[in-house]
PDB file of all heavy atoms in Angstrom:
ATOM      1  N   MET T 467     -12.646  30.828  21.590  1.00  0.00           N
ATOM      2  CA  MET T 467     -11.182  30.775  21.044  1.00  0.00           C
ATOM      3  C   MET T 467     -10.406  31.987  21.751  1.00  0.00           C
ATOM      4  O   MET T 467      -9.417  32.401  21.159  1.00  0.00           O
ATOM      5  CB  MET T 467     -11.085  30.667  19.582  1.00  0.00           C
ATOM      6  CG  MET T 467     -11.712  29.409  19.120  1.00  0.00           C
ATOM      7  SD  MET T 467     -11.330  29.274  17.319  1.00  0.00           S
ATOM      8  CE  MET T 467     -12.653  30.529  16.727  1.00  0.00           C
ATOM      9  N   LEU T 468     -10.862  32.615  22.737  1.00  0.00           N
ATOM     10  CA  LEU T 468     -10.233  33.745  23.224  1.00  0.00           C
ATOM     11  C   LEU T 468      -8.968  33.637  24.002  1.00  0.00           C
ATOM     12  O   LEU T 468      -8.216  34.459  24.373  1.00  0.00           O
ATOM     13  CB  LEU T 468     -11.300  34.626  24.297  1.00  0.00           C
ATOM     14  CG  LEU T 468     -12.315  35.406  23.540  1.00  0.00           C
ATOM     15  CD1 LEU T 468     -13.334  35.992  24.645  1.00  0.00           C
ATOM     16  CD2 LEU T 468     -11.627  36.541  22.725  1.00  0.00           C
ATOM     17  N   LEU T 469      -8.777  32.383  24.554  1.00  0.00           N
ATOM     18  CA  LEU T 469      -7.714  32.100  25.501  1.00  0.00           C
ATOM     19  C   LEU T 469      -6.331  31.779  24.866  1.00  0.00           C
ATOM     20  O   LEU T 469      -5.328  32.502  25.044  1.00  0.00           O
ATOM     21  CB  LEU T 469      -8.081  31.093  26.515  1.00  0.00           C
ATOM     22  CG  LEU T 469      -7.287  30.742  27.697  1.00  0.00           C
ATOM     23  CD1 LEU T 469      -6.993  32.025  28.463  1.00  0.00           C
ATOM     24  CD2 LEU T 469      -7.781  29.635  28.525  1.00  0.00           C
ATOM     25  N   VAL T 470      -6.304  30.729  24.097  1.00  0.00           N
ATOM     26  CA  VAL T 470      -4.963  30.175  23.636  1.00  0.00           C
ATOM     27  C   VAL T 470      -4.489  30.926  22.562  1.00  0.00           C
ATOM     28  O   VAL T 470      -3.225  31.427  22.835  1.00  0.00           O
ATOM     29  CB  VAL T 470      -5.224  28.662  23.216  1.00  0.00           C
ATOM     30  CG1 VAL T 470      -3.907  28.125  22.550  1.00  0.00           C
ATOM     31  CG2 VAL T 470      -5.509  27.811  24.255  1.00  0.00           C
ATOM     32  N   ASN T 471      -4.956  31.081  21.447  1.00  0.00           N
ATOM     33  CA  ASN T 471      -4.341  31.768  20.206  1.00  0.00           C
ATOM     34  C   ASN T 471      -3.983  33.301  20.511  1.00  0.00           C
ATOM     35  O   ASN T 471      -2.976  33.770  20.228  1.00  0.00           O
ATOM     36  CB  ASN T 471      -5.089  31.616  18.995  1.00  0.00           C
ATOM     37  CG  ASN T 471      -5.066  30.152  18.609  1.00  0.00           C
ATOM     38  OD1 ASN T 471      -4.047  29.415  18.695  1.00  0.00           O
ATOM     39  ND2 ASN T 471      -6.222  29.562  18.213  1.00  0.00           N
ATOM     40  N   PRO T 472      -5.044  34.048  21.017  1.00  0.00           N
ATOM     41  CA  PRO T 472      -4.740  35.543  21.327  1.00  0.00           C
ATOM     42  C   PRO T 472      -3.562  35.696  22.255  1.00  0.00           C
ATOM     43  O   PRO T 472      -2.712  36.475  22.155  1.00  0.00           O
ATOM     44  CB  PRO T 472      -6.034  36.023  21.774  1.00  0.00           C
ATOM     45  CG  PRO T 472      -7.050  35.142  21.286  1.00  0.00           C
ATOM     46  CD  PRO T 472      -6.463  33.755  21.317  1.00  0.00           C
ATOM     47  N   THR T 473      -3.502  34.866  23.360  1.00  0.00           N
ATOM     48  CA  THR T 473      -2.589  34.996  24.338  1.00  0.00           C
ATOM     49  C   THR T 473      -1.170  34.544  23.797  1.00  0.00           C
ATOM     50  O   THR T 473      -0.165  35.352  24.036  1.00  0.00           O
ATOM     51  CB  THR T 473      -2.868  34.065  25.510  1.00  0.00           C
ATOM     52  OG1 THR T 473      -4.108  34.394  26.108  1.00  0.00           O
ATOM     53  CG2 THR T 473      -1.791  34.112  26.571  1.00  0.00           C
ATOM     54  N   THR T 474      -1.151  33.590  22.975  1.00  0.00           N
ATOM     55  CA  THR T 474       0.071  33.215  22.315  1.00  0.00           C
ATOM     56  C   THR T 474       0.571  34.349  21.492  1.00  0.00           C
ATOM     57  O   THR T 474       1.801  34.587  21.438  1.00  0.00           O
ATOM     58  CB  THR T 474      -0.103  31.913  21.505  1.00  0.00           C
ATOM     59  OG1 THR T 474      -0.578  30.849  22.223  1.00  0.00           O
ATOM     60  CG2 THR T 474       1.127  31.462  20.711  1.00  0.00           C
ATOM     61  N   ALA T 475      -0.140  34.846  20.623  1.00  0.00           N
ATOM     62  CA  ALA T 475       0.209  36.037  19.729  1.00  0.00           C
ATOM     63  C   ALA T 475       0.693  37.170  20.551  1.00  0.00           C
ATOM     64  O   ALA T 475       1.688  37.821  20.228  1.00  0.00           O
ATOM     65  CB  ALA T 475      -0.983  36.424  18.796  1.00  0.00           C
ATOM     66  N   TRP T 476      -0.069  37.579  21.518  1.00  0.00           N
ATOM     67  CA  TRP T 476       0.451  38.825  22.368  1.00  0.00           C
ATOM     68  C   TRP T 476       1.760  38.462  23.080  1.00  0.00           C
ATOM     69  O   TRP T 476       2.512  39.359  23.064  1.00  0.00           O
ATOM     70  CB  TRP T 476      -0.728  38.997  23.414  1.00  0.00           C
ATOM     71  CG  TRP T 476      -0.555  40.381  24.118  1.00  0.00           C
ATOM     72  CD1 TRP T 476      -1.017  41.519  23.731  1.00  0.00           C
ATOM     73  CD2 TRP T 476       0.339  40.628  25.241  1.00  0.00           C
ATOM     74  NE1 TRP T 476      -0.579  42.543  24.565  1.00  0.00           N
ATOM     75  CE2 TRP T 476       0.248  41.976  25.533  1.00  0.00           C
ATOM     76  CE3 TRP T 476       1.079  39.866  26.027  1.00  0.00           C
ATOM     77  CZ2 TRP T 476       0.891  42.638  26.528  1.00  0.00           C
ATOM     78  CZ3 TRP T 476       1.802  40.470  27.073  1.00  0.00           C
ATOM     79  CH2 TRP T 476       1.627  41.794  27.426  1.00  0.00           C
ATOM     80  N   LEU T 477       1.951  37.306  23.751  1.00  0.00           N
ATOM     81  CA  LEU T 477       3.061  36.957  24.293  1.00  0.00           C
ATOM     82  C   LEU T 477       4.306  37.029  23.308  1.00  0.00           C
ATOM     83  O   LEU T 477       5.475  37.511  23.590  1.00  0.00           O
ATOM     84  CB  LEU T 477       3.036  35.672  25.004  1.00  0.00           C
ATOM     85  CG  LEU T 477       2.177  35.707  26.237  1.00  0.00           C
ATOM     86  CD1 LEU T 477       2.012  34.216  26.818  1.00  0.00           C
ATOM     87  CD2 LEU T 477       2.847  36.509  27.444  1.00  0.00           C
ATOM     88  N   LEU T 478       4.007  36.430  22.195  1.00  0.00           N
ATOM     89  CA  LEU T 478       5.149  36.356  21.080  1.00  0.00           C
ATOM     90  C   LEU T 478       5.588  37.842  20.809  1.00  0.00           C
ATOM     91  O   LEU T 478       6.735  38.055  20.686  1.00  0.00           O
ATOM     92  CB  LEU T 478       4.612  35.612  19.875  1.00  0.00           C
ATOM     93  CG  LEU T 478       5.485  35.639  18.666  1.00  0.00           C
ATOM     94  CD1 LEU T 478       6.766  34.768  18.919  1.00  0.00           C
ATOM     95  CD2 LEU T 478       4.729  35.090  17.423  1.00  0.00           C
ATOM     96  N   LEU T 479       4.646  38.653  20.567  1.00  0.00           N
ATOM     97  CA  LEU T 479       4.993  39.959  20.063  1.00  0.00           C
ATOM     98  C   LEU T 479       5.462  40.915  21.264  1.00  0.00           C
ATOM     99  O   LEU T 479       6.570  41.590  20.997  1.00  0.00           O
ATOM    100  CB  LEU T 479       3.696  40.739  19.552  1.00  0.00           C
ATOM    101  CG  LEU T 479       3.249  40.133  18.236  1.00  0.00           C
ATOM    102  CD1 LEU T 479       1.849  40.800  17.954  1.00  0.00           C
ATOM    103  CD2 LEU T 479       4.123  40.428  17.063  1.00  0.00           C
ATOM    104  N   HIS T 480       5.107  40.877  22.407  1.00  0.00           N
ATOM    105  CA  HIS T 480       5.439  41.748  23.486  1.00  0.00           C
ATOM    106  C   HIS T 480       6.334  41.224  24.557  1.00  0.00           C
ATOM    107  O   HIS T 480       7.028  42.078  25.147  1.00  0.00           O
ATOM    108  CB  HIS T 480       4.004  42.172  24.260  1.00  0.00           C
ATOM    109  CG  HIS T 480       3.220  43.059  23.315  1.00  0.00           C
ATOM    110  ND1 HIS T 480       3.405  44.416  23.072  1.00  0.00           N
ATOM    111  CD2 HIS T 480       1.883  42.599  22.638  1.00  0.00           C
ATOM    112  CE1 HIS T 480       2.384  44.728  22.142  1.00  0.00           C
ATOM    113  NE2 HIS T 480       1.575  43.816  21.957  1.00  0.00           N
ATOM    114  N   GLU T 481       6.370  39.871  24.756  1.00  0.00           N
ATOM    115  CA  GLU T 481       7.219  39.382  25.831  1.00  0.00           C
ATOM    116  C   GLU T 481       8.532  38.725  25.216  1.00  0.00           C
ATOM    117  O   GLU T 481       9.597  38.784  25.705  1.00  0.00           O
ATOM    118  CB  GLU T 481       6.400  38.327  26.670  1.00  0.00           C
ATOM    119  CG  GLU T 481       5.276  39.031  27.371  1.00  0.00           C
ATOM    120  CD  GLU T 481       5.846  40.046  28.442  1.00  0.00           C
ATOM    121  OE1 GLU T 481       7.005  39.791  28.967  1.00  0.00           O
ATOM    122  OE2 GLU T 481       5.213  41.075  28.780  1.00  0.00           O
ATOM    123  N   VAL T 482       8.228  37.823  24.005  1.00  0.00           N
ATOM    124  CA  VAL T 482       9.266  37.156  23.564  1.00  0.00           C
ATOM    125  C   VAL T 482      10.224  38.019  22.495  1.00  0.00           C
ATOM    126  O   VAL T 482      11.443  38.186  22.702  1.00  0.00           O
ATOM    127  CB  VAL T 482       8.763  35.899  22.763  1.00  0.00           C
ATOM    128  CG1 VAL T 482      10.042  35.085  22.017  1.00  0.00           C
ATOM    129  CG2 VAL T 482       8.132  35.059  23.728  1.00  0.00           C
TER     130      VAL T 482
END
Side-chain angles (χ1 to χ4, degrees):
M467 297 183 287
L468 279 177
L469 187 59
V470 173
N471 292 315
T473 303
T474 299
W476 192 92
L477 289 171
L478 175 67
L479 292 169
H480 295 282
E481 297 294 328
V482 177

